[in-house]
Amino acid sequence: MADITASWKRLADRSPIVEFVDACLRGTSQVMLQNNPVTGLVILIAIAVGAFDSGHPRLLGGAVVGVAVGTATAILLRADRDSLRSGLYGFSPLLTGIGVLLFLRGSAMVWLYVVFGAAATTLVTFALSNVMKTWGAPAFTFPFVLTTWALLMGAYQLVRLHVKTSTPPGLPGHGGAEAAYLSGDTPLGMLEGVAQVYLIGSWISGVIMLVGLAINSLRVALFAVIGTVVAALIAIWFRAGATDVETGLWSFNAVLTAIALGAVLFKPSVPAVIYALFGIVATVFIQAMLATVLAPYGIPTLTAPFVFATWLFVIAKENFTPIPQHKSYRGGLMAPLKPDVGSNR
Amino acid sequence: MADITASWKRLADRSPIVEFVDACLRGTSQVMLQNNPVTGLVILIAIAVGAFDSGHPRLLGGAVVGVAVGTATAILLRADRDSLRSGLYGFSPLLTGIGVLLFLRGSAMVWLYVVFGAAATTLVTFALSNVMKTWGAPAFTFPFVLTTWALLMGAYQLVRLHVKTSTPPGLPGHGGAEAAYLSGDTPLGMLEGVAQVYLIGSWISGVIMLVGLAINSLRVALFAVIGTVVAALIAIWFRAGATDVETGLWSFNAVLTAIALGAVLFKPSVPAVIYALFGIVATVFIQAMLATVLAPYGIPTLTAPFVFATWLFVIAKENFTPIPQHKSYRGGLMAPLKPDVGSNR
Amino acid sequence: MADITASWKRLADRSPIVEFVDACLRGTSQVMLQNNPVTGLVILIAIAVGAFDSGHPRLLGGAVVGVAVGTATAILLRADRDSLRSGLYGFSPLLTGIGVLLFLRGSAMVWLYVVFGAAATTLVTFALSNVMKTWGAPAFTFPFVLTTWALLMGAYQLVRLHVKTSTPPGLPGHGGAEAAYLSGDTPLGMLEGVAQVYLIGSWISGVIMLVGLAINSLRVALFAVIGTVVAALIAIWFRAGATDVETGLWSFNAVLTAIALGAVLFKPSVPAVIYALFGIVATVFIQAMLATVLAPYGIPTLTAPFVFATWLFVIAKENFTPIPQHKSYRGGLMAPLKPDVGSNR
């Protein structure tokens, strides 16, 4: 395995085409905050399985076109090579590619929107990265969220575009209590929650993705499971919509938060685990809030709850030291804050 | 008096418990931008009076649990000791504690939300302080606003939580002109406006709080009165809802703006007074705007109008000098702006 | 011509009144990102023509009062002289002056709001400039947008104020496809789009404004035309509302984006032209999104689509070099980004 990896790296160094493919595969894994082409490949297989399984094979095309166009746009705009090779300009456009195909009613034209949306997502990645750098936080998947929200909301004004989301625009109101809860589908919904990170509704895809994550890091796969299980339990406890729990829609944001806070951004420690659990709880409540905020527009929260929760937990512990990138925060989670951070009144 | 104060300080230096109580009392006064345990104690008494008077005694419990949990969370997260002792991590959670009890329908469970909400508010305080530090502005009470908005909006999606706000979600529309205006209740409403800073609907509490403020600074108490009177008059002139004027709901944000701009952040001067008056007017209009923005969600503006108005007036005069904390802005209000501040086109 | 210009400059250096008039004329041209008193004078004539032509002569008064009060407020608040003389504190208040008269139902009182709104706009300009400076971007016309939005939304809560916008508050929904498209009025609508930058609905004013721009820079006039034509064609292609296309409402934001990205902020080059064209497309979609976001409040997008699009395209290429002011970005559009800009995960 290590042998193959080394050969692949040498190939990527010599051939621009292999380098590009490598960047796209890493980009596929970067949605889950990983930087591993094998993990990316396994996840792409999971997307393919889920796309065909759910009768929407073109979602796989959206993913591939998205990550490729996004990465190519970044090359055209002269992004730095290190980030490019790590797939950091591909992961948000990949999600935009799937999102556009999933939420906009299709014709041949829809592929034009995929290309345009993916290119725009890269531009938003540039701008948002500059903005968030101020507080030492990455943009995460928010460029995907912003671009897709814009396309879906814009579609109401443009007769040529048609949105197909599950709920029409309406004022928020208390949903009625649903009777059946904690059915046999709940555990499958938790697995589906992993795949919903990529907008794929299939628990089999979720299992394959967990395998892909485990190839890169057992810790990451473990926290993905913790994220989806804990979030689903909280959603059930507070009685969120049962159908959404069973299709993983209350879980996928917490999968990302759990990976980010529990396995990627902070050094492993008991406080870090508690911090990550608190982050998962916060993600569920932020998702509930955003669902209400977006109700009048009839569009989904996408991965915004993960982004807001993780920004909150990262910036709260940010000491304006150089930006940590996929590394542990210097000094760990429990290092005291600098005096000037708190004296804010 | 000075003797007692000195003894108290010595006690606080030696005993961690007294230190904690001191921090919580100072935190109670920090909502009004004061740093004085006696003022905090008097305000706590005012909250108690108002809570029992209005038939909601547990609001006092919410305040105490809120400020204690918020401060304790900051200790656990290793905040700096100076800010901790000044009560800077207690005042927003105190308001969250009251707000949760006031706006969420209760059972024993609701106390869990108070604890969770207070802890989350401290985390938001950390993050938002880091963000606002970029422009030399404190977070003020916005962590309370954000956390409470999130809990209230999230409640629409979670059957277990029930919101009880005065107005259900609806599209904004012009309210009908109300006949009776400037009744005998208006002056009492202005006093109630001082207490509404702590979400307490009692003019007696307002009077006690003014006494508490006067103990620390006559200037502060004076500007609190100016804030509530001027804001109520503007609201009456533009014919905002009469009931809201008479219960102080158009006043409490201006109380805070008047204290911040008129008595705390800038050196006393005639231009500073004019600036503060302009700030009070702006607070009323920002509150009207926010009431419209939040109408589709049926939730209150809380202290957001104060925060936005004060951010506006502080950042407008901010020269990117070191952050002033409860001190006068270097050079005073009328110091010329640096050339590069304005040339923004 | 050059002779007159030189004499005028000497006059402005000696007489404070001429200096003030010069600043106001330059401010009139700064809405279009120009700094030329003659261009400003021609545009003011265009506003006069359009105001009288459309039966709203007082819009001219709103423009004059707005730019004068805004500039005077900046002088009172001790803004730097260079920016003042370039008209950078006058252009947003000018638009607020027109906007208040156009969207609030009038009595003598409405002129008070014009004065208050213009002064508030200058304050917002100060604050927002400080905020956006962090990322090397100007505030553009956003102070006008924020202040006018606030006044219009606040008016729903205040019986004394009455909003008159074209669409009442409502949930977004797909508009029906309109039959007649690309009528003979479309080209006139494109010209009207230039004047709509100043909220003036007259194609003759648009022509005069183009002349005013051409006096200062042919390139700027050319990109204004490109902006209005391309945006209208995209709006037609995606079938936005035909009436809005024919009155220039889908064009005016793109006029500003085209001038900013194509003729002012970046060095002329083929990639810069492509970048500007992409910016025009983005402006149309951002406008569609914002129209949906604002639908529940029944207020117009104003120039927010231009501001958001241009911020996006400017901050995306911002390297945290010193802020460029009306000059070309150092190194041009295609200079490679610094490594740290992209590595945001």
Side-chain angles (χ1 to χ4, degrees):
Chain A
M1 184 80 186
D3 236 35
I4 302 174
T5 309
S7 320
W8 176 256
K9 264 190 187 151
R10 247 172 293 133
L11 255 175
D13 285 337
R14 270 177 303 182
S15 153
I17 292 169
V18 176
E19 189 185 354
F20 186 80
V21 171
D22 183 59
C24 288
L25 289 176
R26 287 174 190 274
T28 306
S29 72
Q30 284 285 7
V31 173
M32 293 279 202
L33 296 100
Q34 307 308 303
N35 180 3
N36 185 323
V38 181
T39 300
L41 185 64
V42 174
I43 289 176
L44 210 58
I45 291 166
I47 293 174
V49 170
F52 281 91
D53 187 45
S54 64
H56 299 293
R58 59 189 191 147
L59 295 189
L60 174 65
V64 172
V65 172
V67 71
V69 168
T71 304
T73 305
I75 293 171
L76 280 175
L77 287 167
R78 305 277 177 93
D80 68 294
R81 209 175 170 196
D82 278 358
S83 303
L84 267 170
R85 291 192 63 166
S86 309
L88 291 174
Y89 295 114
F91 67 91
S92 268
L94 178 147
L95 294 177
T96 304
I98 301 178
V100 165
L101 291 175
L102 197 62
F103 297 121
L104 285 183
R105 213 174 297 160
S107 65
M109 284 291 293
V110 91
W111 288 98
L112 182 68
Y113 311 147
V114 169
V115 171
F116 170 75
T121 303
T122 292
L123 204 73
V124 176
T125 303
F126 279 28
L128 199 63
S129 298
N130 268 345
V131 170
M132 296 310 299
K133 196 164 60 170
T134 314
W135 305 294
F140 295 122
T141 53
F142 208 55
F144 146 64
V145 173
L146 271 183
T147 311
T148 308
W149 277 353
L151 283 171
L152 295 186
M153 293 217 264
Y156 288 109
Q157 312 295 327
L158 306 168
V159 175
R160 187 179 283 279
L161 298 181
H162 289 276
V163 184
K164 33 167 194 179
T165 55
S166 50
T167 45
L171 292 174
H174 288 282
E178 297 183 52
Y181 239 102
L182 262 178
S183 73
D185 289 342
T186 309
L188 293 186
M190 292 174 179
L191 288 171
E192 198 170 326
V194 178
Q196 288 285 11
V197 168
Y198 290 84
L199 299 106
I200 296 295
S202 154
W203 66 268
I204 302 168
S205 298
V207 173
I208 302 174
M209 286 180 187
L210 285 175
V211 172
L213 293 177
I215 289 171
N216 191 41
S217 155
L218 274 176
R219 183 178 174 83
V220 166
L222 175 68
F223 271 89
V225 172
I226 292 175
T228 194
V229 170
V230 173
L233 292 178
I234 295 168
I236 289 168
W237 190 31
F238 282 91
R239 310 199 71 177
T243 320
D244 286 352
V245 172
E246 285 167 10
T247 49
L249 293 181
W250 282 95
S251 283
F252 70 94
N253 275 288
V255 166
L256 291 170
T257 306
I259 292 175
L261 297 180
V264 172
L265 297 171
F266 295 108
K267 270 191 224 157
S269 70
V270 173
V273 171
I274 297 171
Y275 204 63
L277 286 173
F278 194 23
I280 293 169
V281 176
T283 303
V284 173
F285 279 90
I286 292 174
Q287 179 166 344
M289 174 197 69
L290 283 174
T292 296
V293 170
L294 297 175
Y297 309 111
I299 62 170
T301 63
L302 305 176
T303 53
F306 146 66
V307 174
F308 290 173
T310 306
W311 276 347
L312 171 61
F313 279 70
V314 165
I315 297 176
K317 288 301 285 180
E318 172 58 40
N319 269 328
F320 293 93
T321 48
I323 312 170
Q325 310 278 16
H326 270 240
K327 286 168 211 139
S328 298
Y329 269 50
R330 213 152 305 185
L333 178 63
M334 295 309 280
L337 295 169
K338 276 186 197 158
D340 61 335
V341 170
S343 50
N344 277 286
R345 274 295 285 266
Chain B
M1 184 80 187
D3 237 36
I4 302 175
T5 309
S7 319
W8 176 257
K9 263 189 187 152
R10 247 173 294 133
L11 256 175
D13 283 339
R14 270 178 302 181
S15 152
I17 293 168
V18 176
E19 188 185 354
F20 186 80
V21 171
D22 183 59
C24 288
L25 289 176
R26 288 174 189 273
T28 306
S29 72
Q30 285 283 8
V31 173
M32 293 280 201
L33 296 101
Q34 307 308 302
N35 180 4
N36 184 325
V38 182
T39 300
L41 185 64
V42 174
I43 289 175
L44 210 58
I45 291 167
I47 293 174
V49 169
F52 281 91
D53 187 44
S54 65
H56 299 293
R58 60 188 192 150
L59 294 189
L60 175 65
V64 173
V65 173
V67 71
V69 169
T71 305
T73 306
I75 293 172
L76 280 174
L77 287 168
R78 307 276 176 94
D80 68 296
R81 211 175 168 196
D82 278 358
S83 303
L84 266 170
R85 291 191 63 166
S86 309
L88 291 173
Y89 295 114
F91 68 91
S92 267
L94 179 146
L95 294 176
T96 303
I98 301 177
V100 166
L101 291 176
L102 197 63
F103 297 122
L104 285 183
R105 214 174 296 163
S107 66
M109 284 291 293
V110 90
W111 289 99
L112 182 69
Y113 312 147
V114 169
V115 171
F116 171 74
T121 304
T122 292
L123 204 74
V124 176
T125 303
F126 279 28
L128 199 63
S129 298
N130 268 344
V131 169
M132 295 311 299
K133 196 164 60 172
T134 313
W135 307 294
F140 295 122
T141 52
F142 208 56
F144 147 65
V145 174
L146 272 184
T147 312
T148 307
W149 277 354
L151 284 171
L152 295 185
M153 292 216 265
Y156 289 110
Q157 311 295 327
L158 306 168
V159 175
R160 187 178 281 279
L161 298 180
H162 289 276
V163 184
K164 31 166 195 178
T165 55
S166 50
T167 44
L171 292 175
H174 289 281
E178 297 184 51
Y181 239 103
L182 260 178
S183 74
D185 290 342
T186 308
L188 292 186
M190 290 173 180
L191 288 171
E192 199 170 326
V194 177
Q196 289 284 10
V197 168
Y198 291 84
L199 300 105
I200 297 294
S202 154
W203 66 268
I204 302 168
S205 298
V207 173
I208 301 174
M209 285 180 188
L210 284 176
V211 172
L213 293 177
I215 289 172
N216 192 42
S217 155
L218 275 175
R219 184 179 174 85
V220 166
L222 176 68
F223 270 90
V225 172
I226 292 175
T228 194
V229 171
V230 173
L233 292 179
I234 295 168
I236 289 168
W237 189 31
F238 281 92
R239 310 200 70 177
T243 319
D244 287 351
V245 172
E246 285 167 11
T247 49
L249 293 180
W250 283 94
S251 283
F252 71 95
N253 275 289
V255 167
L256 291 170
T257 306
I259 291 175
L261 296 181
V264 172
L265 297 171
F266 295 108
K267 270 193 225 157
S269 71
V270 173
V273 172
I274 297 171
Y275 204 63
L277 286 173
F278 194 22
I280 293 169
V281 177
T283 303
V284 174
F285 280 91
I286 292 173
Q287 179 166 343
M289 174 197 68
L290 283 174
T292 297
V293 170
L294 297 175
Y297 309 111
I299 62 171
T301 63
L302 305 176
T303 54
F306 146 65
V307 175
F308 291 173
T310 307
W311 276 347
L312 170 61
F313 279 70
V314 166
I315 297 176
K317 288 299 288 181
E318 172 58 40
N319 268 330
F320 293 94
T321 47
I323 312 169
Q325 310 278 13
H326 271 240
K327 285 167 213 138
S328 297
Y329 270 48
R330 213 152 305 188
L333 178 63
M334 296 307 282
L337 294 169
K338 276 187 195 156
D340 61 335
V341 171
S343 50
N344 279 286
R345 278 294 288 265
Chain C
M1 184 77 188
D3 235 34
I4 303 174
T5 310
S7 320
W8 176 256
K9 263 190 188 154
R10 249 173 292 134
L11 256 174
D13 284 338
R14 272 177 302 181
S15 153
I17 292 168
V18 176
E19 189 185 354
F20 186 81
V21 171
D22 183 60
C24 288
L25 289 175
R26 287 175 191 274
T28 306
S29 73
Q30 284 285 8
V31 173
M32 293 279 202
L33 297 102
Q34 306 308 303
N35 180 4
N36 185 324
V38 181
T39 300
L41 185 64
V42 174
I43 288 176
L44 210 57
I45 292 167
I47 293 174
V49 169
F52 281 91
D53 187 46
S54 64
H56 300 293
R58 59 189 192 150
L59 295 189
L60 175 64
V64 173
V65 172
V67 72
V69 169
T71 304
T73 305
I75 293 172
L76 280 175
L77 287 167
R78 307 277 176 93
D80 68 294
R81 212 175 167 196
D82 278 359
S83 303
L84 267 169
R85 291 191 64 166
S86 310
L88 291 173
Y89 296 113
F91 68 91
S92 267
L94 179 147
L95 294 177
T96 304
I98 301 178
V100 166
L101 291 175
L102 197 62
F103 297 122
L104 285 183
R105 214 174 297 161
S107 66
M109 285 289 295
V110 89
W111 288 98
L112 183 69
Y113 313 146
V114 168
V115 171
F116 171 75
T121 304
T122 293
L123 204 74
V124 177
T125 303
F126 280 28
L128 199 63
S129 298
N130 268 344
V131 170
M132 295 311 298
K133 196 163 62 170
T134 314
W135 305 295
F140 295 122
T141 53
F142 208 56
F144 146 65
V145 173
L146 271 183
T147 311
T148 308
W149 277 353
L151 284 170
L152 295 186
M153 293 217 263
Y156 289 110
Q157 312 293 328
L158 306 168
V159 174
R160 188 179 281 278
L161 299 181
H162 289 275
V163 184
K164 33 168 195 179
T165 55
S166 51
T167 46
L171 293 174
H174 289 282
E178 298 183 51
Y181 239 103
L182 262 179
S183 74
D185 290 342
T186 308
L188 293 186
M190 291 173 180
L191 289 171
E192 199 169 326
V194 178
Q196 289 284 11
V197 168
Y198 291 83
L199 298 104
I200 297 294
S202 154
W203 67 268
I204 302 169
S205 298
V207 173
I208 302 174
M209 286 180 187
L210 285 175
V211 172
L213 293 177
I215 288 171
N216 192 42
S217 155
L218 274 176
R219 184 178 173 84
V220 166
L222 175 68
F223 270 90
V225 172
I226 292 175
T228 195
V229 170
V230 173
L233 292 178
I234 295 167
I236 290 168
W237 189 31
F238 282 92
R239 312 201 68 178
T243 319
D244 286 352
V245 172
E246 284 167 11
T247 51
L249 294 180
W250 283 94
S251 282
F252 70 95
N253 275 289
V255 166
L256 290 170
T257 305
I259 292 175
L261 297 180
V264 172
L265 296 171
F266 295 108
K267 271 191 223 156
S269 70
V270 172
V273 172
I274 297 170
Y275 204 62
L277 286 173
F278 194 22
I280 293 168
V281 177
T283 302
V284 173
F285 279 91
I286 291 173
Q287 179 166 343
M289 174 197 68
L290 282 174
T292 296
V293 170
L294 297 175
Y297 308 111
I299 62 170
T301 63
L302 305 177
T303 53
F306 146 64
V307 175
F308 291 173
T310 306
W311 276 348
L312 171 62
F313 279 70
V314 166
I315 297 177
K317 287 302 285 183
E318 172 58 39
N319 268 330
F320 293 93
T321 47
I323 312 168
Q325 310 278 15
H326 271 240
K327 287 169 210 135
S328 297
Y329 270 48
R330 212 153 304 186
L333 179 64
M334 295 309 280
L337 294 168
K338 276 188 196 154
D340 61 335
V341 170
S343 50
N344 278 286
R345 277 294 287 266

